[in-house]
Amino acid sequence: MRILVVEDDSVLADGLKVGLGLYGATLDVVATCTDGQAALATDEFDAVVLDLMLPDGSGLDLLTSLRAKGHRIPVLLLTALDEVSDRIKGLDAGADDYVGKPFDLDELAARVRAISRRQQGRASPYVSHNGVTLDVARLTASVDGTVISLSRREFAILSALMDRPGIVLSKSDLEARLYGWQEEIESNTVEVHVHKLRSKIGRSKIETLRGIGYRMRPASS
Amino acid sequence: MNSLKRKLFFILVVTTGLIWIAATCWIYVGTTHEVENVLDSRLQEAARMVLSLASSNGIGSFQKDSDSSHAAEFLTYDRQLSCQIWSLDGRLVARSSGTPNESLSDNRTGFSERTIRGEKWRVFTAEDPTKNLRVLVGDRLGLRETFVADIMKGLLAPMFLAIPVLAFLIWASLNQGLRPLHALAADLRRRNADDLTPVETKGIPKEILPMVFSLNNLFERVREALRHERHITAFAAHELRTPLAGLRTQAQIAMTARDANIRDAALSQILFAVDRTTRLVRQLLTIARLDSGAAALLTELNVGEVVEEVVDTLPPPDRNTDVIVDPILHSTVVTANRDSLLLAIRNLHENAVRHMPRRGTIRWSSEATKDGTTVFVEDTGPGIPKEELALVTKRFFRGRNKSSLGSGLGLSIVDMAVRTSGARLRLLNREDTSGLRAEMIWDTRSAQRSSKAGPDKLSVVAEFF
């Protein structure tokens, strides 16, 4: 899961980056509305964690302009302004959730998971396909009832593939899920992780389409 | 209780009473005088009449009827009057009934007063030497006084009846007249503590209108102050909540992370955040103190000494930064509040140090202009983007070239502190090189006008919303 954080406080931004990273998400952090707008225009994210009071304006304006452009990305407002009226204003402006500062990291992670789950049209916290079930909250997978623990990277690749099974994801699509902007992309990482995944969940579950990418093998085959 | 109504009532009743008493005295004096005149002329007329009658009847008849009771019968046409007829040689010829035997007067002619047997008499004496007769007609002064007293009683009786009625009318009119005040008081009493809407001025008498206007004006100012206070509180809350949220997040990471590197990084972030929050709290307290507007004691200060003190007490910048204190500062004296000046210089210095790139120079100096004295500090940092120059003294504003430690309060504090010292702050980007020049300007022309950090500084926060 790739999340954009728009937060100007360096300590908090770092905390979100590291903290949500522990939950298997890949984080990109920007500090201003302008940078946030640019990031959303150029990259794909699964969710946005948006602060309201930013140096170059209100996060609410960013949210409003996003929604005006028809952007459907889930947005969680994270702000110190947490009067009821502020919450209402934020939600009515198009936010999917609202969390007041200070917050619990676990709860924030759960809420981010929840809004992105809804975005994908799922209600269940588990993603299942062809005998593989993903527990998004615990970062684990189970194959035919057997729980398998996965590394962060493995989980990220598997959940990306399982979000929309049948859709082929290229290597660079998967790299985008694995790395934030500042992270150095190691070559062959995707191949290495897919290889490890196959050995854990079964060779036949992930299909390689040579030259195109990877996808979950459909259940019928 | 100091009651306006009671006071007015008292004044009105007392003045009415006094006027009435004065009028009564006037009437009393006037009536007494008039009664005297009337009765005196009656005495005079009666005496002359008796004298003329006596002369036409002849002395003989009087002499024959010298019996006192008989003579009295003769003169009973007016019981208030007493009459004596004497011969000029001092023999009582006749007297009316109830008249004493003694002569009523020893005067020759005209009016006189005499006390006979404890009674005061007013007597008119008329003589006719040709008839050898002297006629004395008198009345008792006691009677006259009774007469005047009766008149006065007639006047005073309705007045005493009227006093309660009048008092009631005055009281009722006062109640009626003061009704707008009561209505105003009731309106104010009904209000909630946070209801600061203006009082309705329609139907308010023009005597109370200035008070209502002042009241509304006060409401307006209190409302404004409250609004600012709320914004400040909201902002302070925001500014404290964000670092607290950061602290909490980092603490949670430190607790859950199994990787020692992640944990150490989180712990050092916590340390940093605690330092920054401490600084923020200190600055908020400073602002609260400056806001409270405690009267600043202005003294003559040597700027050089203050700058040296600040530079010496602050830890030396860890980067290769040179700090130059121009010797000219030691001969620069300004009128300022020592604490405020220290605060301003320390913040400006810290600001310069914090925004300095790896190598740089901070220079403190001053120059005398024709209008006054300018103390300034120049750094070789990035300066402030032009469009942000006007905003940086506003609270919680953090510009693009912010440092991670900045709270957005430093320059706002400097601005307030400089004002407390009777100067003003001017920020400009250096033209010779990249960097900021912060000037504290003491205008000698406006030095007499004490300029203090007023509540207008509060309004800046509102603009963030």
Side-chain angles (χ1 to χ4, degrees), chain B residues 369-446:
Chain B
T369 59
K370 63 179 193 299
D371 292 335
T373 312
T374 301
V375 176
F376 62 89
V377 58
E378 288 177 330
D379 62 36
T380 52
I384 299 175
K386 213 164 146 199
E387 65 274 17
E388 289 179 2
L389 268 176
L391 300 172
V392 286
T393 53
K394 301 190 170 181
R395 283 176 195 178
F396 300 120
F397 181 85
R398 268 171 289 175
R400 264 184 274 157
N401 295 333
K402 62 177 181 175
S403 75
S404 54
L405 204 63
S407 60
L409 289 175
L411 285 173
S412 161
I413 290 180
V414 172
D415 191 47
M416 289 176 80
V418 163
R419 282 160 180 256
T420 317
S421 282
R424 64 191 165 89
L425 177 70
R426 194 162 74 126
L427 299 169
L428 52 161
N429 285 311
R430 289 175 69 172
E431 280 164 8
D432 47 347
T433 169
S434 153
L436 184 74
R437 178 184 163 110
E439 295 181 338
M440 293 184 281
I441 303 164
W442 276 265
D443 277 347
T444 35
R445 281 181 308 176
S446 62

Side-chain angles (χ1 to χ4, degrees), chain B residues 54-125:
Chain B
S55 63
S56 61
N57 285 348
I59 303 161
S61 63
F62 273 91
Q63 281 169 333
K64 278 178 220 158
D65 295 308
S66 64
D67 177 53
S68 61
S69 60
H70 199 88
E73 283 305 310
F74 175 66
L75 287 168
T76 51
Y77 67 94
D78 186 345
R79 288 194 177 273
Q80 287 173 17
L81 294 182
S82 296
C83 183
Q84 287 178 333
I85 303 170
W86 296 77
S87 65
L88 283 182
D89 50 5
R91 193 165 45 82
L92 182 64
V93 179
R95 63 186 174 93
S96 60
S97 68
T99 305
N101 290 327
E102 297 96 325
S103 168
L104 288 173
S105 165
D106 49 6
N107 264 22
R108 289 275 134 156
T109 52
F111 289 103
S112 62
E113 283 176 22
R114 194 173 191 192
T115 308
I116 301 162
R117 295 183 205 158
E119 275 187 302
K120 277 193 107 174
W121 289 81
R122 173 94 174 152
V123 180
F124 184 79
T125 308

Side-chain angles (χ1 to χ4, degrees), chain B residues 100-317:
Chain B
N101 290 327
E102 297 96 325
S103 168
L104 288 173
S105 165
D106 49 6
N107 264 22
R108 289 275 134 156
T109 52
F111 289 103
S112 62
E113 283 176 22
R114 194 173 191 192
T115 308
I116 301 162
R117 295 183 205 158
E119 275 187 302
K120 277 193 107 174
W121 289 81
R122 173 94 174 152
V123 180
F124 184 79
T125 308
E127 279 183 348
D128 193 345
T130 54
K131 292 177 186 169
N132 191 30
L133 282 177
R134 181 184 290 141
V135 174
L136 284 76
V137 179
D139 55 13
R140 295 179 185 83
L141 279 178
L143 272 174
R144 291 187 172 200
E145 277 156 18
T146 312
F147 185 46
V148 173
D150 283 345
I151 292 175
M152 293 317 294
K153 254 183 242 165
L155 268 172
L156 284 172
M159 172 179 150
F160 281 111
L161 276 178
I163 275 181
V165 175
L166 193 70
F168 172 77
L169 284 176
I170 288 174
W171 187 255
S173 330
L174 280 175
N175 269 337
Q176 175 66 30
L178 293 175
R179 188 169 289 169
L181 265 184
H182 287 299
L184 185 63
D187 178 25
L188 291 177
R189 209 180 306 123
R190 270 197 304 274
R191 279 166 181 257
N192 292 325
D194 55 351
D195 182 5
L196 292 172
T197 50
V199 175
E200 180 63 62
T201 49
K202 215 160 54 185
I204 297 278
K206 72 171 192 285
E207 288 81 4
I208 313 177
L209 218 47
M211 193 186 82
V212 175
F213 280 146
S214 310
L215 200 62
N216 284 344
N217 195 289
L218 176 70
F219 279 170
E220 179 62 35
R221 276 178 293 155
V222 171
R223 199 165 52 219
E224 199 59 14
L226 265 179
R227 202 168 63 87
H228 287 148
E229 202 71 26
R230 279 181 192 148
H231 281 138
I232 286 288
T233 316
F235 252 83
H238 173 261
E239 292 301 311
L240 279 171
R241 276 170 170 213
T242 302
L244 286 177
L247 268 172
R248 197 178 196 290
T249 310
Q250 295 287 356
Q252 261 188 304
I253 293 169
M255 278 169 72
T256 51
R258 270 169 248 132
D259 187 337
N261 287 336
I262 293 181
R263 196 167 53 233
D264 288 349
L267 287 174
S268 73
Q269 286 280 357
I270 289 175
L271 208 59
F272 174 75
V274 167
D275 286 348
R276 197 184 56 173
T277 313
T278 310
R279 205 176 103 86
L280 173 64
V281 169
R282 205 181 61 219
Q283 286 182 324
L284 282 174
L285 290 176
T286 305
I287 284 202
R289 205 183 62 227
L290 287 173
D291 261 354
S292 72
L297 177 71
L298 300 182
T299 48
E300 301 265 304
L301 293 170
N302 185 314
V303 184
E305 286 172 15
V306 180
V307 173
E308 293 279 12
E309 188 181 330
V310 168
V311 173
D312 290 347
T313 51
L314 286 174

Side-chain angles (χ1 to χ4, degrees), chain A residues 7-20 22-23 31-32 51-53 55 79-83 100-107, chain B residues 234-235 237-239 241-250 252-253 256-258 262 265-266 269-270 272-273 276 397-399 402 404 464-465:
Chain A
E7 167 63 60
D8 63 325
D9 183 89
S10 65
V11 175
L12 181 57
D14 176 82
L16 289 172
K17 192 177 164 79
V18 178
L20 292 178
L22 292 176
Y23 288 90
T32 60
D51 184 18
L52 280 192
M53 286 196 238
T79 171
L81 296 175
D82 69 340
E83 298 276 318
K101 290 177 188 172
F103 52 86
D104 187 275
L105 188 59
D106 297 337
E107 187 195 344
Chain B
F235 252 83
H238 173 261
E239 292 301 311
R241 276 170 170 213
T242 302
L244 286 177
L247 268 172
R248 197 178 196 290
T249 310
Q250 295 287 356
Q252 261 188 304
I253 293 169
T256 51
R258 270 169 248 132
I262 293 181
Q269 286 280 357
I270 289 175
F272 174 75
R276 197 184 56 173
F397 181 85
R398 268 171 289 175
K402 62 177 181 175
S404 54
F464 276 81
F465 286 83

